[in-house]
Amino acid sequence: MKDVFMYPYKAGSESCSALAKALGVRRIKHDNSTFKGKQERTVINWGATEVPAEVNKCFVVNHPERVAIACNKLSAYRVLEDEDLCPAYTEREDVARAWLQKCDIVERHTLTGMGGAGIRVVEKGDFDSLSDKAKVYCIYVPKKAEFRVHVICGNIVDVQRKSRRRDVPDDKVNWKVRNHDNGFIYARGDDLGEVPNNVVQVALRAVELMGLDFGAVDVIYNESKEVAYVLEVNTAPGLSGETVEIYKRGFEKLLHVGEE
């Protein structure tokens, strides 16, 4: 792709490297870069909340100010709450304590953590365990399934479901916080299962509300109430294998590669 570049949130981002290689574009260095920006150049911003001045001279896919909102759980929830797209949350420990009488509470001790970092679940009625140091508290929503919906330019390009790893013992699996360390991987294709329509709809709307050009949206689905909630929008999702090729095709379409 002529005049297309990528800028990663960190120099060693393997996903950014894999996608740049697939697209045939160059990455912009964080240090000692000789990159010169100009209006006719396009930079795919891979999760960075700040970019160099030269990058700002270009057309930037995923503006860093919008990425900064998405990367911070509290600012993201503030965007999503007006349309009830996220679980109920509060910054106040006393409100969380009142909620704890009726349900489990999820504490977030970092607002910008990835992969479940800083998350702690407090079970209903366990008042002594509730921390007064959490950055934000959310009502835990029981879920039948958790999905990652990949959106590029207003289109769903891929859907994955968090599926249990069979090599992890039962006592090591955490169904409330479904990440790799707790015994889960992403499944697609024949292993995906049914994807409720409101799961993809809330994902599309979340990316739109965030003002992003692309994002990987983590969505939980509560079957009894038939509701879907957004947990977060990832602006530098982990990519490997088939997902790299899916993003390659998505960005080629976004950037009109091969069109007259």
Side-chain angles (χ1 to χ4, degrees):
M1 290 186 188
K2 184 179 180 181
D3 284 335
V4 178
F5 301 80
M6 291 192 70
Y7 185 79
Y9 73 97
K10 66 176 183 179
S13 171
E14 294 181 3
S15 295
C16 181
S17 177
L19 182 56
K21 182 178 180 180
L23 289 169
V25 304
R26 289 176 288 171
R27 289 168 291 159
I28 300 170
K29 295 179 181 178
H30 277 224
D31 298 315
N32 303 316
S33 174
T34 58
F35 176 79
K36 298 298 181 182
K38 47 188 177 181
Q39 289 184 341
E40 57 267 33
R41 284 184 163 175
T42 296
V43 177
I44 300 171
N45 175 24
W46 197 253
T49 58
E50 296 181 355
V51 298
E54 291 298 321
V55 171
N56 269 325
K57 295 177 181 179
C58 308
F59 172 73
V60 179
V61 178
N62 268 7
H63 194 281
E65 289 183 3
R66 310 312 298 178
V67 170
I69 291 173
C71 288
N72 183 292
K73 303 301 184 293
L74 187 55
S75 62
Y77 286 161
R78 286 171 177 163
V79 170
L80 298 171
E81 67 174 331
D82 287 344
E83 297 190 15
D84 296 323
L85 297 184
C86 63
Y89 73 95
T90 182
E91 297 176 75
R92 294 174 49 180
E93 185 265 346
D94 61 324
V95 173
R97 187 168 294 275
W99 287 346
L100 199 58
Q101 297 180 50
K102 298 182 179 180
C103 61
D104 295 351
I105 296 296
V106 178
E107 298 177 347
R108 284 190 176 271
H109 290 267
T110 174
L111 296 178
T112 57
M114 296 185 293
I119 291 179
R120 179 171 174 267
V121 178
V122 182
E123 295 186 354
K124 173 185 173 182
D126 191 3
F127 300 104
D128 291 340
S129 292
L130 191 69
S131 171
D132 61 357
K133 304 297 184 183
K135 303 291 186 182
V136 66
Y137 307 85
C138 299
I139 287 178
Y140 174 78
V141 179
K143 51 188 178 285
K144 177 183 180 181
E146 184 171 339
F147 299 91
R148 173 162 286 188
V149 183
H150 300 270
V151 181
I152 299 178
C153 196
N155 297 303
I156 304 293
V157 297
D158 191 26
V159 181
Q160 298 168 297
R161 178 178 58 84
K162 290 191 176 180
S163 177
R164 180 184 168 177
R165 293 168 52 198
R166 294 303 174 188
D167 61 331
V168 177
D170 291 350
D171 61 343
K172 300 296 183 182
V173 175
N174 185 338
W175 289 93
K176 291 185 177 180
V177 182
R178 301 183 188 183
N179 57 24
H180 188 271
D181 291 341
N182 290 338
F184 287 84
I185 57 173
Y186 286 109
R188 62 157 61 87
D190 293 340
D191 297 321
L192 178 61
E194 181 182 357
V195 181
N197 183 62
N198 54 349
V199 167
V200 296
Q201 293 305 316
V202 300
L204 284 169
R205 184 59 177 152
V207 173
E208 181 181 20
L209 287 172
M210 294 285 182
L212 296 168
D213 300 296
F214 71 92
V217 190
D218 289 341
V219 182
I220 56 174
Y221 180 69
N222 180 287
E223 185 178 37
S224 63
K225 296 182 179 180
E226 297 183 341
V227 294
Y229 292 110
V230 173
L231 296 184
E232 61 183 313
V233 181
N234 302 275
T235 58
L239 303 182
S240 62
E242 185 177 349
T243 314
V244 176
E245 182 60 27
I246 288 169
Y247 267 69
K248 172 182 179 290
R249 294 195 299 266
F251 278 112
E252 285 176 341
K253 184 175 180 180
L254 171 65
L255 300 173
H256 310 293
V257 173
E259 293 187 2
E260 294 296 331

